[in-house]
């Protein structure tokens, strides 16, 4: 029964690496019931000291680029190397469609049958902020359950890539070997957060096109101001279908982690991500509080029309709303 949670037992089973306990724990943290929130908090506080011991890898790309084919091949490769692999998904379409872009059950069939792998679809029916928050907590749970490689997959649309890049150590962007003037609509912001770019479907017969695409992407990358002196973003040719280039991806990530751990940046980045996460939850909470305050909401409506009618500027109106909120909190 999903409602029947014994946090002591659940955390013990989870720490012992039981997959069912991990799945149940994730269901608990995804629950919106107020009584579950308390239990989820206790569970997370219990397992938190055991979290963190993993490499967190974000993987993104448009639907059809070959993410699941790649993750299946990569996951099996990692298991052969002695790792335990958890795959989580952040699906920005889940809010509308119930997770159709990533939620297909037939994906990664071979990997999902392995004991050393744990695959979980995106939490659904929530805003991107909500999905991201729960995925971050699911990462902790997977780590406490002994998974030492955490893959967070997302689709190359909207804000989800930026959100995923802020919860992982290494962000991999997948591209198709399409040589052309336009760079497959790669958004500049996304390119800038990528730690490596994989050109998938670089099969034998596509190799020339893939090499051309590689050159183009390398050129595009070279125009960015390289702020990270210790890392040059590599472009790697992969054929997920024929399991080519998988070892190069593994070696690239291992090299990155080694460099960043040695310089201390690895840990600093994680600390910054945690602090940023904390503040984003504060800001979200404040917004909710503003929205739930009837008086402030009414006053905000007045301010909106004042802005539209040019009676005041947006920033003065915002200050007024904040003062109104402060006053109402003090009065309350
Ligand atoms: P996703 O939507 O990004 O998860 O993409 P899928 O992994 O479902 O792959 C989409 C299609 O591309 C499928 O038909 C795959 O078999 C195919 N595909 C994936 N990787 C390769 C590859 O390396 N070469 C070729 N030729 N096809 C591939």
């Amino acid at each position: 029964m999903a409602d029947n949670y014994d946090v002591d037992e659940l955390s013990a089973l989870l720490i012992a690496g039981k997959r069912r306990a991990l799945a149940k724990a994730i269901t608990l943290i995804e629950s919106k019931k107020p009584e579950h929130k308390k239990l989820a908090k206790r569970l997370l506080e219990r397992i938190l000291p055991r979290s963190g011991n993993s490499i967190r890898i974000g993987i993104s790309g448009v639907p059809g680029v070959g993410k699941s084919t790649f993750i299946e091949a990569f996951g099996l490769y990692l298991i052969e190397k002695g790792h335990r692999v958890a795959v989580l998904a952040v699906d920005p379409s889940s809010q509308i469609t119930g997770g159709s872009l990533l939620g297909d059950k037939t994906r990664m069939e071979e990997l999902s049958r392995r004991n050393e792998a744990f695959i979980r679809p995106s939490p659904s029916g929530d805003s991107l902020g909500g999905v991201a928050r729960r995925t971050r907590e699911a990462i902790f749970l997977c780590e406490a359950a002994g998974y030492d490689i955490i893959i967070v997959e997302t689709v190359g649309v909207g804000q989800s890539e930026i959100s995923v890049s802020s919860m992982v150590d290494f962000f991999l962007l997948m591209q198709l070997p399409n040589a052309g003037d336009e760079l497959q609509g790669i958004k500049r912001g996304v390119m800038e957060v990528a730690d490596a770019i994989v050109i998938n479907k670089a099969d034998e017969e596509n190799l020339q096109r893939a090499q051309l695409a590689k050159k183009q992407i390398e050129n595009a990358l070279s125009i960015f101001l390289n702020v990270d002196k210790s890392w040059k973003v590599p472009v790697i040719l992969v054929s997920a279908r024929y399991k080519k280039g998988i070892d190069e991806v593994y070696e690239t990530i291992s090299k990155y982690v080694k460099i960043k751990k040695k310089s201390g940046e690895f840990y600093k980045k994680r600390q910054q991500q945690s602090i940023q996460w904390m503040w984003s939850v504060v800001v979200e909470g404040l917004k909710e509080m503003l929205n739930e305050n009837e008086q402030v909401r009414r006053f905000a409506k007045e301010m909106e029309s004042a802005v539209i009618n040019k009676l005041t500027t947006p920033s003065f109106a915002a200050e007024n709303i904040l003062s109104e909120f402060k006053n109402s909190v003090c009065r309350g």
Side-chain angles (χ1 to χ4, degrees), residues 125-179:
D126 207 340
S127 62
L128 175 59
V131 170
R133 177 174 170 176
R134 280 179 276 154
T135 305
R136 285 182 150 118
E137 288 167 348
I139 291 176
F140 291 156
L141 295 175
C142 292
E143 289 170 345
Y147 292 90
D148 63 340
I149 304 272
I150 316 286
I151 294 175
V152 185
E153 177 192 9
T154 193
V155 260
V157 290
Q159 269 300 98
S160 66
E161 291 165 310
I162 305 296
S163 171
V164 167
S165 77
S166 72
M167 63 176 90
V168 296
D169 306 311
F170 190 93
F171 189 72
L172 195 76
L173 177 65
M174 287 183 72
Q175 293 288 304
L176 290 165
N178 290 344

Side-chain angles (χ1 to χ4, degrees), residues 74-94:
F74 188 49
L76 292 168
Y77 178 91
L78 292 169
I79 289 171
E80 288 311 307
K81 291 251 170 209
H83 294 289
R84 294 182 72 208
V85 185
V87 183
L88 305 171
V90 169
D91 191 337
S93 67
S94 62

Side-chain angles (χ1 to χ4, degrees), residues 62-69 107 153 200-201 203 239-241:
V62 294
V65 71
K67 291 181 296 301
S68 51
T69 313
R107 305 170 89 235
E153 177 192 9
N200 190 36
K201 307 196 188 182
D203 311 343
S239 169
R241 176 177 284 174

